[in-house]
Amino acid sequence: MKGIIVAGGKGTRLRPLTYTGAKQLVPVANKPVLFYAIEDLVDAGIDEIGIVVPADHQMARDQIMAAVGDGARWGARVTYIPQDAPRGIAHAVAICRDFVRGEKFVVFLGDNFIREGITPQVDAFRTGTMNCILLLHRVPNPQDLGVAVVHNDRVVELQEKPRVPKSDLGIVGIYFLDHHFFEVAATLHPSARGELEITDALSRLIETGCDVRPQMVDGYWIDTGKHLDMLDANRLVLDTIEASIEGEIDGESQIVGRVVVEPGARIVRSVVRGPAIIGKGAELTDTFIGPFTAVGDGCRIRGSELEHSIVLENSVIEDIETRIEDSLIGRNVRLTRATTRPRAHRLLLGDNSHVALA
């Protein structure tokens, strides 16, 4: 079997972070969410992976290729497949036909996160006779998602954001497919938004008599498209970490619970309450870091308090009087308290930013 990771999209729901970076490289517990998809495929025995990258978004494409490389660090062989424009997920998969070469394959949307991995599903598909497996997860808001209708252990109908859902089984962004997908994709027409929709392709598989089976995801699945979703995924990963102290901690600091302090990090007169991770070369001084916080490599935090937050690499936070929580802070950010009068908030914010001031 082969794996396909779709790493396109503009990441509009994560702006302004995605103005300057690929959404698939936003970290969860200091590791890009894209890397979890690669690890899930390799752990399931799939080491030939095609990554669909946006040819029309050079910065995101180059960042993804630089971060992943040839896949050797995971024991994988990675091929990059450029998509000339955002023409839909079904189009992104269809252009991988030459890469797949008739084998069964798994499609992993690059911003999906599933904590328990996909090994059982890969094993079932590799040895089974079905044409497709759809992973399903019970959701409280089926009207906002694609949902599946299941009868006698077969998927018999799909609905895309239905006003009146026929089920609460949300479709996870991980699809197990065979050569029949390419046959139906060739018959699709662009939707009203000009894209070839994956739901249309999967529905066509059902209509043409293909054997489409459901498999429930009973653990944790998150589409990390929004900042609160990223925080949820970060919390789920940090909740599984084992304590590891490789950095420097002075005698006046306290480490409570499961905390990872990576090499080169320094913690001075501070409290870190896990689960939390402090990245390589980060410095904490007179600071409190609360549970479910990931501090990226090279950050410097002084005289401040953070909890349930993600801080990307090389950011500086100094002397903030109120606690920062439920926050996603980008790379190379400087967040400081004004010391001059008149006291005022002085902000330089990109488009679609959201700031809550106490």
Side-chain angles (χ1 to χ4, degrees):
M1 287 180 63
K2 292 184 178 179
I4 295 171
I5 299 176
V6 178
K10 296 181 178 179
T12 54
R13 295 178 295 170
L14 276 175
R15 287 177 176 169
L17 285 177
T18 48
Y19 282 126
T20 55
K23 65 177 180 177
Q24 297 84 6
L25 297 182
V26 176
V28 169
N30 285 4
K31 180 165 61 178
V33 67
L34 175 62
F35 289 9
Y36 291 96
I38 297 172
E39 290 172 358
D40 284 348
L41 290 170
V42 172
D43 288 347
I46 297 173
D47 58 9
E48 290 191 62
I49 300 173
I51 300 182
V52 180
V53 292
D56 64 330
H57 193 334
Q58 182 177 351
M59 179 179 60
R61 180 194 68 204
D62 291 349
Q63 288 177 346
I64 290 168
M65 294 175 68
V68 175
D70 62 4
R73 79 176 81 171
W74 296 279
R77 296 183 298 278
V78 170
T79 300
Y80 295 97
I81 302 161
Q83 185 182 28
D84 62 347
R87 303 184 188 276
I89 295 171
H91 178 269
V93 179
I95 63 176
C96 297
R97 186 168 195 162
D98 290 342
F99 169 76
V100 170
R101 295 185 182 276
E103 296 187 46
K104 290 183 175 182
F105 60 101
V106 183
V107 176
F108 211 124
L109 302 190
D111 52 3
N112 272 240
F113 174 83
I114 181 167
R115 191 174 73 175
E116 285 73 21
I118 59 172
T119 297
Q121 295 89 350
V122 168
D123 290 343
F125 192 55
R126 181 182 280 121
T127 60
T129 60
M130 69 286 287
N131 305 115
C132 172
I133 290 178
L134 297 182
L135 300 190
L136 307 178
H137 186 79
R138 293 196 182 278
V139 295
N141 56 332
Q143 68 278 0
D144 298 327
L145 303 166
V147 296
V149 180
V150 176
H151 181 69
N152 290 337
D153 198 34
R154 297 289 192 279
V155 179
V156 297
E157 184 182 351
L158 303 179
Q159 296 180 294
E160 181 63 27
K161 297 181 180 178
R163 291 185 179 179
V164 183
K166 294 183 180 180
S167 86
D168 63 349
L169 301 177
I171 303 170
V172 175
I174 304 170
Y175 318 107
F176 298 74
L177 302 165
D178 68 6
H179 66 91
H180 290 87
F181 176 86
F182 300 107
E183 297 168 12
V184 300
T187 70
L188 296 178
H189 298 287
S191 65
R193 60 178 185 168
E195 298 186 359
L196 298 185
E197 307 290 352
I198 189 66
T199 304
D200 292 344
L202 299 173
S203 294
R204 194 69 59 88
L205 289 176
I206 297 169
E207 294 165 4
T208 56
C210 288
D211 185 356
V212 180
R213 303 285 186 96
Q215 286 228 358
M216 294 300 300
V217 174
D218 296 321
Y220 293 101
W221 161 63
I222 297 175
D223 175 353
T224 60
K226 300 178 182 178
H227 104 272
L228 290 178
D229 300 325
M230 296 295 304
L231 292 174
D232 278 345
N234 190 65
R235 174 179 56 82
L236 293 174
V237 174
L238 289 178
D239 208 27
T240 67
I241 64 171
E242 299 294 334
S244 173
I245 307 298
E246 298 184 74
E248 178 184 340
I249 302 169
D250 79 341
E252 298 182 65
S253 295
Q254 296 181 41
I255 304 297
V256 182
R258 292 176 288 112
V259 174
V260 173
V261 181
E262 297 193 301
R266 295 181 66 246
I267 299 177
V268 179
R269 298 187 302 276
S270 297
V271 175
V272 182
R273 184 169 296 149
I277 183 169
I278 311 301
K280 299 179 182 67
E283 295 185 9
L284 309 181
T285 306
D286 299 318
T287 285
F288 171 80
I289 299 295
F292 305 114
T293 300
V295 176
D297 296 350
C299 289
R300 190 170 75 248
I301 303 176
R302 185 184 69 196
S304 303
E305 301 184 5
L306 286 85
E307 184 168 331
H308 193 240
S309 295
I310 299 172
V311 185
L312 276 61
E313 59 263 29
N314 299 315
S315 288
V316 175
I317 300 173
E318 294 180 336
D319 302 322
I320 303 302
E321 295 178 337
T322 55
R323 182 171 296 189
I324 298 168
E325 61 182 29
D326 302 335
S327 297
L328 176 55
I329 297 172
R331 299 173 179 87
N332 304 303
V333 169
R334 289 188 58 86
L335 182 58
T336 60
R337 180 170 62 90
T339 58
T340 58
R341 294 186 182 277
R343 296 282 294 275
H345 297 298
R346 297 177 178 86
L347 308 175
L348 176 60
L349 303 175
D351 296 348
N352 302 299
S353 294
H354 181 153
V355 176
L357 298 174

